Amino acid sequence: MWHRELKAAINKKQPVTIRLKDGEVRQGIPEQCTDYVKLRMDNGVVWIPAAEIEHVSRLIQFQPKKDPSST
């Protein structure tokens, strides 16, 4: 089920939090998803085996719409 969230995050370049089966948590922007997930983090790039992923949370930033009447 997390595959869909991860692919959406890749397409929209959104940050994710990935919880692994051993309890470790990684945060970054995913770039690829095959048998491994390429995750760009502040301190470099890591490759995470997809089989080790337990949960993915995606951070969605909302852009407020401009009010056309206020200029």
Side-chain angles (χ1 to χ4, degrees):
M1 185 106 156
W2 55 263
H3 293 279
R4 182 176 54 186
E5 292 299 318
L6 195 56
K7 288 184 184 199
I10 291 169
N11 290 334
K12 297 176 181 181
K13 296 182 178 20
Q14 294 173 326
V16 296
T17 300
I18 297 176
R19 186 175 65 231
L20 304 177
K21 290 182 180 178
D22 66 1
E24 186 177 354
V25 176
R26 299 283 181 121
Q27 294 179 329
I29 298 176
E31 295 183 352
Q32 294 178 8
C33 180
T34 54
D35 292 338
Y36 288 82
V37 174
K38 181 180 179 184
L39 189 65
R40 185 165 301 277
M41 300 171 30
D42 289 337
N43 57 350
V45 175
V46 296
W47 290 87
I48 301 171
E52 296 297 316
I53 296 175
E54 182 176 291
H55 183 78
V56 173
S57 297
R58 182 167 51 119
L59 179 62
I60 302 170
Q61 296 177 351
F62 289 100
Q63 301 290 330
K65 292 186 178 183
K66 294 182 180 179
D67 185 5
S69 63
S70 65
T71 55

